[in-house]
Amino acid sequence: MKDVLVSLACFIVLSMAPACMSADDSSKTADSANYDRQRRDMVESQIRARGISDPGVLDAMLVVERHLFVPGYYRKYSYTDGPLPIGKDQTISQPYIVALMTELLDVDSTDKVLEIGTGSGYQAAILGELADSVFTIEIIPELAEQAEKLLEKLGYTNIFVRCGDGFVGWEEHAPYDGIIVTCAPTEIPEPLLTQLAEGGRLVIPVGTMWQELILVTKTDGETRRESVIPVRFVPMTGEAAEKK
Ligand code: SAH
């Protein structure tokens, strides 16, 4: 009898699931309008209000639907003012930090950009709205695969995802007009400085627990470093970074 009750309970739970899913489906339009409103609020109160003024960056933050890059349970928090877990102990960055780093990169529609740390693919999508092409490297295979599929589904034909160690950059397509690093090494990887084009900009968090966000510019072969703000990113992993 007990067995029968257990399997009956399982049956009830299982047979209720599709009903819940179809209820979700029918509220999709309402959800999407709600997310659109939340995204507009996010741009106004978290980004423009904190001094981001580049129209291209503000537009990209309005257009790219952050909630599509945030998994299941956390999706409802997509437009809150902070980072969120994306699985594998990694996070999607706070929207303001994404906007700030993108503004610092000063991307042009003819630019070729390299990103280290694809994660969810959100920052890559923002860059994909602004640049000619985006090359992005992720060290965790599952995240690289997931981001690649999502970006393809969203129609980005100018974003190229590679699974590998971003410490060494992506030499084949160098030099890059902009390089953005969204995980933190303890020192700036030398290959990234080499792969930065003349007149190019590199935005990178450098340090251990807390880091400094550094803007590197290259003119006449010389690099100049400028510290922007303290930040907190997940560490850069991989053999080369961990040896340092
Ligand atoms: N830009 C991402 C957030 C990145 S979180 C987004 O928009 O969602 C940092 C990412 O860097 C993690 O996914 C982590 O796995 C990745 N990472 C860490 N070390 C790396 C390395 N050496 N090369 C490439 N990716 C790395």
Side-chain angles (χ1 to χ4, degrees), residues 177-215:
D177 305 297
I179 302 181
I180 181 169
V181 183
T182 62
C183 48
T186 51
E187 282 168 32
I188 302 180
E190 207 51 50
L192 300 185
L193 292 170
T194 311
Q195 290 174 28
L196 189 62
E198 185 57 35
R201 296 159 81 86
L202 161 66
V203 181
I204 182 168
V206 182
T208 48
M209 268 283 273
W210 280 91
Q211 307 104 29
E212 280 292 312
L213 187 64
I214 311 268
L215 169 65

Short mmCIF file of all heavy atoms in Angstrom, two decimals, residues 177-215:
data_model
loop_
_atom_site.label_atom_id
_atom_site.label_comp_id
_atom_site.label_asym_id
_atom_site.label_seq_id
_atom_site.Cartn_x
_atom_site.Cartn_y
_atom_site.Cartn_z
N ASP A 177 41.55 45.92 -31.53
CA ASP A 177 41.37 47.34 -31.18
C ASP A 177 40.99 47.47 -29.71
O ASP A 177 41.23 48.50 -29.08
CB ASP A 177 40.27 47.95 -32.06
CG ASP A 177 40.57 47.76 -33.53
OD1 ASP A 177 41.59 48.29 -33.98
OD2 ASP A 177 39.84 47.02 -34.22
N GLY A 178 40.32 46.43 -29.19
CA GLY A 178 39.95 46.43 -27.78
C GLY A 178 40.08 45.04 -27.20
O GLY A 178 39.78 44.05 -27.88
N ILE A 179 40.56 44.96 -25.95
CA ILE A 179 40.60 43.67 -25.24
C ILE A 179 39.96 43.89 -23.88
O ILE A 179 40.33 44.84 -23.16
CB ILE A 179 42.04 43.12 -25.08
CG1 ILE A 179 42.71 42.96 -26.46
CG2 ILE A 179 42.03 41.79 -24.32
CD1 ILE A 179 44.14 42.40 -26.42
N ILE A 180 39.01 43.03 -23.52
CA ILE A 180 38.34 43.15 -22.23
C ILE A 180 38.48 41.82 -21.51
O ILE A 180 38.29 40.76 -22.10
CB ILE A 180 36.87 43.56 -22.44
CG1 ILE A 180 36.12 43.72 -21.13
CG2 ILE A 180 36.10 42.60 -23.31
CD1 ILE A 180 34.74 44.39 -21.31
N VAL A 181 38.88 41.90 -20.25
CA VAL A 181 39.09 40.68 -19.47
C VAL A 181 38.10 40.71 -18.32
O VAL A 181 38.07 41.67 -17.54
CB VAL A 181 40.55 40.60 -18.97
CG1 VAL A 181 40.79 39.30 -18.23
CG2 VAL A 181 41.52 40.73 -20.14
N THR A 182 37.27 39.65 -18.20
CA THR A 182 36.23 39.66 -17.17
C THR A 182 36.48 38.60 -16.10
O THR A 182 35.56 38.15 -15.43
CB THR A 182 34.83 39.51 -17.80
OG1 THR A 182 34.76 38.26 -18.47
CG2 THR A 182 34.54 40.61 -18.80
N CYS A 183 37.75 38.19 -15.96
CA CYS A 183 38.18 37.39 -14.82
C CYS A 183 39.52 38.02 -14.41
O CYS A 183 40.13 38.72 -15.21
CB CYS A 183 38.35 35.91 -15.21
SG CYS A 183 39.29 35.64 -16.72
N ALA A 184 39.94 37.77 -13.15
CA ALA A 184 41.08 38.56 -12.67
C ALA A 184 42.39 37.78 -12.56
O ALA A 184 42.50 36.87 -11.74
CB ALA A 184 40.73 39.15 -11.31
N PRO A 185 43.37 38.15 -13.37
CA PRO A 185 44.72 37.61 -13.17
C PRO A 185 45.44 38.46 -12.11
O PRO A 185 44.96 39.54 -11.76
CB PRO A 185 45.37 37.80 -14.55
CG PRO A 185 44.69 39.00 -15.12
CD PRO A 185 43.30 39.04 -14.53
N THR A 186 46.57 37.97 -11.62
CA THR A 186 47.30 38.77 -10.62
C THR A 186 48.23 39.78 -11.30
O THR A 186 48.69 40.73 -10.68
CB THR A 186 48.11 37.86 -9.68
OG1 THR A 186 48.89 36.98 -10.50
CG2 THR A 186 47.20 37.03 -8.79
N GLU A 187 48.51 39.51 -12.59
CA GLU A 187 49.30 40.47 -13.39
C GLU A 187 48.71 40.52 -14.78
O GLU A 187 48.08 39.54 -15.19
CB GLU A 187 50.74 39.96 -13.56
CG GLU A 187 51.61 40.14 -12.37
CD GLU A 187 52.90 39.34 -12.54
OE1 GLU A 187 53.39 39.18 -13.68
OE2 GLU A 187 53.39 38.85 -11.52
N ILE A 188 48.96 41.58 -15.52
CA ILE A 188 48.44 41.64 -16.89
C ILE A 188 49.18 40.62 -17.75
O ILE A 188 50.41 40.66 -17.84
CB ILE A 188 48.60 43.06 -17.49
CG1 ILE A 188 47.87 44.08 -16.61
CG2 ILE A 188 48.09 43.08 -18.92
CD1 ILE A 188 47.96 45.51 -17.10
N PRO A 189 48.46 39.68 -18.38
CA PRO A 189 49.14 38.69 -19.22
C PRO A 189 49.87 39.36 -20.39
O PRO A 189 49.26 40.14 -21.14
CB PRO A 189 47.99 37.79 -19.72
CG PRO A 189 46.88 37.98 -18.72
CD PRO A 189 47.01 39.40 -18.27
N GLU A 190 51.13 39.05 -20.52
CA GLU A 190 51.98 39.65 -21.56
C GLU A 190 51.39 39.45 -22.98
O GLU A 190 51.38 40.41 -23.78
CB GLU A 190 53.38 39.03 -21.46
CG GLU A 190 54.54 39.85 -21.95
CD GLU A 190 54.62 41.27 -21.39
OE1 GLU A 190 54.53 41.43 -20.15
OE2 GLU A 190 54.76 42.21 -22.20
N PRO A 191 50.88 38.24 -23.30
CA PRO A 191 50.35 38.04 -24.66
C PRO A 191 49.22 39.01 -25.01
O PRO A 191 49.06 39.40 -26.17
CB PRO A 191 49.81 36.60 -24.64
CG PRO A 191 50.51 35.93 -23.50
CD PRO A 191 50.79 37.00 -22.50
N LEU A 192 48.46 39.45 -24.00
CA LEU A 192 47.35 40.37 -24.29
C LEU A 192 47.90 41.75 -24.67
O LEU A 192 47.37 42.42 -25.55
CB LEU A 192 46.39 40.47 -23.10
CG LEU A 192 45.72 39.15 -22.68
CD1 LEU A 192 44.70 39.39 -21.58
CD2 LEU A 192 45.05 38.45 -23.87
N LEU A 193 49.00 42.15 -24.01
CA LEU A 193 49.62 43.43 -24.34
C LEU A 193 50.17 43.38 -25.77
O LEU A 193 50.05 44.33 -26.54
CB LEU A 193 50.74 43.76 -23.35
CG LEU A 193 50.29 44.05 -21.91
CD1 LEU A 193 51.48 44.11 -20.97
CD2 LEU A 193 49.49 45.37 -21.86
N THR A 194 50.73 42.23 -26.12
CA THR A 194 51.30 42.07 -27.47
C THR A 194 50.19 42.09 -28.52
O THR A 194 50.36 42.63 -29.61
CB THR A 194 52.05 40.71 -27.55
OG1 THR A 194 52.91 40.64 -26.42
CG2 THR A 194 52.82 40.55 -28.84
N GLN A 195 49.05 41.49 -28.18
CA GLN A 195 47.97 41.37 -29.17
C GLN A 195 47.08 42.62 -29.27
O GLN A 195 46.14 42.66 -30.05
CB GLN A 195 47.12 40.13 -28.85
CG GLN A 195 47.89 38.84 -29.12
CD GLN A 195 47.15 37.58 -28.68
OE1 GLN A 195 45.94 37.54 -28.65
NE2 GLN A 195 47.92 36.55 -28.36
N LEU A 196 47.41 43.63 -28.47
CA LEU A 196 46.65 44.89 -28.52
C LEU A 196 47.18 45.74 -29.67
O LEU A 196 48.39 45.92 -29.82
CB LEU A 196 46.84 45.63 -27.18
CG LEU A 196 45.97 46.86 -26.94
CD1 LEU A 196 44.48 46.49 -26.92
CD2 LEU A 196 46.36 47.53 -25.61
N ALA A 197 46.26 46.26 -30.50
CA ALA A 197 46.66 47.06 -31.66
C ALA A 197 47.19 48.42 -31.21
O ALA A 197 46.89 48.88 -30.10
CB ALA A 197 45.45 47.28 -32.56
N GLU A 198 47.93 49.05 -32.08
CA GLU A 198 48.37 50.43 -31.87
C GLU A 198 47.10 51.30 -31.73
O GLU A 198 46.17 51.16 -32.53
CB GLU A 198 49.20 50.82 -33.12
CG GLU A 198 49.85 52.14 -33.08
CD GLU A 198 50.79 52.31 -31.88
OE1 GLU A 198 51.43 51.34 -31.46
OE2 GLU A 198 50.85 53.45 -31.39
N GLY A 199 47.04 52.09 -30.70
CA GLY A 199 45.83 52.91 -30.44
C GLY A 199 44.73 52.14 -29.73
O GLY A 199 43.66 52.67 -29.49
N GLY A 200 45.02 50.87 -29.40
CA GLY A 200 44.00 50.01 -28.78
C GLY A 200 43.87 50.21 -27.28
O GLY A 200 44.69 50.87 -26.64
N ARG A 201 42.82 49.64 -26.72
CA ARG A 201 42.54 49.78 -25.29
C ARG A 201 42.27 48.41 -24.68
O ARG A 201 41.56 47.58 -25.25
CB ARG A 201 41.30 50.67 -25.09
CG ARG A 201 41.53 52.08 -25.58
CD ARG A 201 40.23 52.80 -25.88
NE ARG A 201 39.61 53.32 -24.67
CZ ARG A 201 39.88 54.49 -24.14
NH1 ARG A 201 40.78 55.27 -24.69
NH2 ARG A 201 39.27 54.90 -23.05
N LEU A 202 42.87 48.19 -23.50
CA LEU A 202 42.69 46.93 -22.77
C LEU A 202 42.08 47.27 -21.40
O LEU A 202 42.60 48.13 -20.68
CB LEU A 202 44.05 46.24 -22.60
CG LEU A 202 44.24 45.16 -21.53
CD1 LEU A 202 43.40 43.92 -21.83
CD2 LEU A 202 45.72 44.75 -21.45
N VAL A 203 40.97 46.62 -21.07
CA VAL A 203 40.33 46.87 -19.77
C VAL A 203 40.38 45.56 -18.99
O VAL A 203 39.89 44.53 -19.47
CB VAL A 203 38.87 47.33 -19.96
CG1 VAL A 203 38.22 47.60 -18.61
CG2 VAL A 203 38.81 48.59 -20.81
N ILE A 204 40.96 45.61 -17.79
CA ILE A 204 41.26 44.36 -17.09
C ILE A 204 41.30 44.55 -15.56
O ILE A 204 41.89 45.50 -15.08
CB ILE A 204 42.62 43.80 -17.62
CG1 ILE A 204 42.97 42.47 -16.97
CG2 ILE A 204 43.77 44.79 -17.48
CD1 ILE A 204 44.13 41.75 -17.65
N PRO A 205 40.65 43.64 -14.82
CA PRO A 205 40.80 43.69 -13.36
C PRO A 205 42.08 42.94 -12.98
O PRO A 205 42.33 41.84 -13.46
CB PRO A 205 39.57 42.91 -12.86
CG PRO A 205 39.19 41.99 -13.97
CD PRO A 205 39.76 42.54 -15.25
N VAL A 206 42.91 43.56 -12.13
CA VAL A 206 44.17 42.93 -11.76
C VAL A 206 44.30 42.87 -10.25
O VAL A 206 44.14 43.89 -9.57
CB VAL A 206 45.39 43.69 -12.35
CG1 VAL A 206 46.70 42.99 -12.00
CG2 VAL A 206 45.27 43.80 -13.86
N GLY A 207 44.58 41.66 -9.72
CA GLY A 207 44.75 41.52 -8.28
C GLY A 207 44.28 40.16 -7.79
O GLY A 207 44.04 39.25 -8.60
N THR A 208 44.15 40.05 -6.46
CA THR A 208 43.73 38.76 -5.90
C THR A 208 42.26 38.83 -5.45
O THR A 208 41.38 38.76 -6.29
CB THR A 208 44.69 38.33 -4.77
OG1 THR A 208 44.87 39.44 -3.89
CG2 THR A 208 46.04 37.92 -5.33
N MET A 209 41.99 38.96 -4.13
CA MET A 209 40.60 38.97 -3.66
C MET A 209 39.83 40.17 -4.21
O MET A 209 38.76 40.06 -4.77
CB MET A 209 40.59 39.06 -2.12
CG MET A 209 40.55 37.70 -1.47
SD MET A 209 38.90 37.02 -1.56
CE MET A 209 38.18 37.71 -0.08
N TRP A 210 40.37 41.36 -3.98
CA TRP A 210 39.87 42.59 -4.59
C TRP A 210 40.86 43.00 -5.64
O TRP A 210 42.04 42.73 -5.51
CB TRP A 210 39.73 43.70 -3.53
CG TRP A 210 38.48 43.54 -2.73
CD1 TRP A 210 38.36 42.85 -1.57
CD2 TRP A 210 37.20 44.05 -3.05
NE1 TRP A 210 37.07 42.90 -1.14
CE2 TRP A 210 36.32 43.64 -2.03
CE3 TRP A 210 36.69 44.83 -4.11
CZ2 TRP A 210 34.97 43.95 -2.02
CZ3 TRP A 210 35.34 45.16 -4.10
CH2 TRP A 210 34.49 44.72 -3.06
N GLN A 211 40.36 43.64 -6.67
CA GLN A 211 41.28 44.02 -7.74
C GLN A 211 41.09 45.48 -8.12
O GLN A 211 40.11 46.10 -7.75
CB GLN A 211 41.01 43.15 -8.99
CG GLN A 211 41.03 41.65 -8.75
CD GLN A 211 39.61 41.07 -8.72
OE1 GLN A 211 38.72 41.59 -9.36
NE2 GLN A 211 39.43 39.97 -8.00
N GLU A 212 42.05 45.99 -8.88
CA GLU A 212 41.93 47.32 -9.47
C GLU A 212 41.51 47.10 -10.92
O GLU A 212 42.06 46.22 -11.60
CB GLU A 212 43.31 48.01 -9.50
CG GLU A 212 43.74 48.62 -8.20
CD GLU A 212 42.90 49.82 -7.82
OE1 GLU A 212 42.69 50.71 -8.66
OE2 GLU A 212 42.42 49.86 -6.66
N LEU A 213 40.54 47.88 -11.37
CA LEU A 213 40.20 47.83 -12.79
C LEU A 213 41.19 48.75 -13.49
O LEU A 213 41.31 49.93 -13.15
CB LEU A 213 38.76 48.31 -13.01
CG LEU A 213 38.25 48.13 -14.44
CD1 LEU A 213 38.17 46.65 -14.82
CD2 LEU A 213 36.86 48.76 -14.58
N ILE A 214 41.95 48.18 -14.43
CA ILE A 214 43.01 48.95 -15.09
C ILE A 214 42.65 49.18 -16.56
O ILE A 214 42.18 48.25 -17.24
CB ILE A 214 44.36 48.18 -15.05
CG1 ILE A 214 44.67 47.68 -13.64
CG2 ILE A 214 45.50 48.98 -15.66
CD1 ILE A 214 45.48 48.59 -12.78
N LEU A 215 42.88 50.39 -17.02
CA LEU A 215 42.74 50.70 -18.45
C LEU A 215 44.14 50.87 -19.02
O LEU A 215 44.91 51.70 -18.54
CB LEU A 215 41.93 52.00 -18.63
CG LEU A 215 41.93 52.58 -20.05
CD1 LEU A 215 41.23 51.66 -21.05
CD2 LEU A 215 41.25 53.96 -20.06
#
